[in-house]
Amino acid sequence: MYQKIGFIGLGLIGGSIAKAILQKYPQTDIFALDSSPAAVAEAHAAGVIKNDAPLPLCDFADMDVIFLCSPVEVNIDYLKKLAPIVSSEVLVTDVGSVKEKIMDAAERAGLSAQFIGGHPMTGSESSGFLSADPMLLENAYYILCASAAMDEIRVRHFRVFLTSLGADVLMLDPKEHDHAVAAISHLPHIIAANLVNFIRQSDSSAGVMRTISAGGFKDITRIASSSPVMWQNICIENRDEILNLIDRYGDALSRTRELVANNDKDGLLSFFSTAKDYRDSMPIRAKGLLPSAFDFYLDLKDEVGQISIVASILAAARLNIKNIGIVHNREFSDGVLHIEMYDETSKDEAMNLLEQHGYPLYGR
């Protein structure tokens, strides 16, 4: 594969890709620069990159691949700076969630024949290199966009490389990509944030709504916990597609309001039924822009120390618990104890083990 790889930006995504590469191809030489010297020092201390201090950009001129892992506008600025110094043999790619803008920038910089737009559709609530995880790409969709000037063999080679890291690679047109992610990612984040802010503004001084918020509300607003700065940038970068979809969603919400206002029983049934059918037809993915919650519920015996016993059973099997807590509102969940694990394998092992000990379990 590639022997010498450079990263410009070494946060969660850049760091995770770098770690995944080193895990799969330990002989690879990885170099990086980042606006934070601490990130470079941390990556070097972890044995991920060769340099222990930020490199001058000219040192990236002979890389096999350069990953641009900063916000889109910053990546575009680096494209301009890289254009005069990299040879035609250097493959340049990015990891941003908006593709048409940077593909146009690559063309203006004269890099279309060596630039592949990339978007790993994965992430975490955490940020920074210390949160980077080589498993972040595992089973995650990784979308690529390439211009007609890009050699097909070169694209295929890079696609095979990403697949070897565990990603599920798809090729899309940049405009199609931006429209699709605006619909299934950007708009939902805006809706979730709006709903959270609406409840915040509508809540009583005693915070009753926040106190009794149950599974349904928490499930559909979970993504509102993402980085505010990241979503600020995304709204600016994919402005036109997002505005179009906000308008269309507003029209759809108005039509739903009419169904409720008119007591349209048949219309309401059709509304919820078509939504359920389409939602149920979606494939279950292990990764997304936020990681899946590997959790389950169980009922406890009415005896002292039961939580400690459950934790001890899992600890004896060397299963790490990510989160554990009592469910105070069971409106949308079964079981009184909620347990979250770090991955699907651990979740399955934990459920099997506790079931053997006679605990009634409820998975998602």
Side-chain angles (χ1 to χ4, degrees):
M1 285 294 175
Y2 306 106
Q3 182 56 42
K4 194 173 182 182
I5 298 177
F7 283 83
I8 297 178
L10 206 59
L12 175 71
I13 299 298
S16 295
I17 296 174
K19 287 183 177 182
I21 292 171
L22 203 62
Q23 188 176 80
K24 180 69 176 181
Y25 304 103
Q27 302 307 314
T28 306
D29 293 327
I30 300 177
F31 301 85
L33 65 82
D34 191 276
S35 58
S36 168
V40 173
E42 290 161 358
H44 179 265
V48 176
I49 63 175
K50 296 294 184 182
N51 57 301
D52 60 356
L55 296 172
L57 199 60
C58 60
D59 284 6
F60 285 74
D62 63 345
M63 299 287 172
D64 294 322
V65 183
I66 298 173
F67 282 87
L68 301 177
C69 303
S70 301
V72 173
E73 291 296 336
V74 178
N75 288 340
I76 288 174
D77 188 50
Y78 272 112
L79 280 179
K80 298 173 186 175
K81 295 175 181 177
L82 287 169
I85 66 174
V86 297
S87 76
S88 60
E89 299 303 312
V90 179
L91 177 67
V92 184
T93 186
D94 81 309
V95 299
S97 66
V98 179
K99 295 273 69 77
E100 191 171 21
K101 193 172 185 178
I102 198 164
M103 296 294 291
D104 290 343
E107 184 176 4
R108 290 194 301 272
L111 294 173
S112 289
Q114 60 191 105
F115 180 79
I116 300 176
H119 178 199
M121 297 189 70
T122 185
S124 168
E125 296 96 333
S126 304
S127 60
F129 178 79
L130 294 180
S131 299
D133 183 352
M135 295 300 292
L136 208 62
L137 291 182
E138 190 72 27
N139 294 330
Y141 280 125
Y142 200 124
I143 297 173
L144 296 181
C145 303
S147 74
M150 192 74 190
D151 181 70
E152 290 185 10
I153 295 177
R154 205 171 186 183
V155 175
R156 191 180 309 125
H157 188 69
F158 186 57
R159 185 173 181 171
V160 169
F161 174 68
L162 294 176
T163 300
S164 73
L165 302 180
D168 189 353
V169 183
L170 295 177
M171 299 296 304
L172 286 180
D173 171 80
K175 188 168 185 61
E176 181 184 12
H177 166 275
D178 289 357
H179 179 70
V181 297
I184 56 92
S185 175
H186 303 170
L187 181 64
H189 275 80
I190 291 170
I191 292 171
N194 262 293
L195 184 55
V196 171
N197 281 330
F198 177 76
I199 295 301
R200 177 182 61 81
Q201 294 160 2
S202 305
D203 206 354
S204 65
S205 59
V208 172
M209 293 182 184
R210 181 172 58 182
T211 300
I212 66 172
S213 60
F217 178 78
K218 290 179 179 177
D219 282 348
I220 64 174
T221 60
R222 181 168 171 257
I223 52 178
S225 294
S226 299
S227 164
V229 174
M230 179 179 74
W231 285 102
Q232 174 198 49
N233 290 331
I234 286 173
C235 285
I236 293 171
E237 292 155 2
N238 205 20
R239 175 179 176 273
D240 291 344
E241 291 291 351
I242 290 173
L243 286 175
N244 175 42
L245 287 165
I246 287 177
D247 290 342
R248 290 174 56 190
Y249 182 74
D251 292 340
L253 201 58
S254 294
R255 290 193 294 273
T256 307
R257 186 189 187 285
E258 289 179 9
L259 294 177
V260 177
N262 295 331
N263 290 321
D264 188 342
K265 294 181 180 179
D266 291 339
L268 285 168
L269 181 60
S270 176
F271 169 72
F272 287 112
S273 295
T274 53
K276 180 184 185 304
D277 291 344
Y278 188 68
R279 176 63 178 82
D280 291 347
S281 73
M282 293 180 179
I284 298 174
R285 300 292 301 173
K287 297 284 184 178
L289 293 180
L290 286 177
S292 299
F294 304 106
D295 54 358
F296 60 94
Y297 299 83
L298 70 154
D299 279 325
L300 292 176
K301 301 171 184 175
D302 188 16
E303 298 173 3
V304 175
Q306 275 297 304
I307 295 178
S308 177
I309 292 173
V310 169
S312 297
I313 290 171
L314 299 183
R318 304 183 67 83
L319 293 171
N320 291 329
I321 298 172
K322 184 176 182 180
N323 200 3
I324 186 170
I326 295 290
V327 177
H328 296 288
N329 186 326
R330 293 177 61 167
E331 179 186 355
F332 291 104
S333 63
D334 295 305
V336 298
L337 189 66
H338 175 219
I339 297 178
E340 183 178 3
M341 308 300 288
Y342 281 94
D343 53 62
E344 190 168 11
T345 300
S346 297
K347 171 190 169 182
D348 291 342
E349 291 180 8
M351 291 184 71
N352 288 335
L353 188 59
L354 292 171
E355 192 171 37
Q356 291 172 19
H357 281 77
Y359 290 96
L361 303 179
Y362 312 92
R364 284 193 170 190

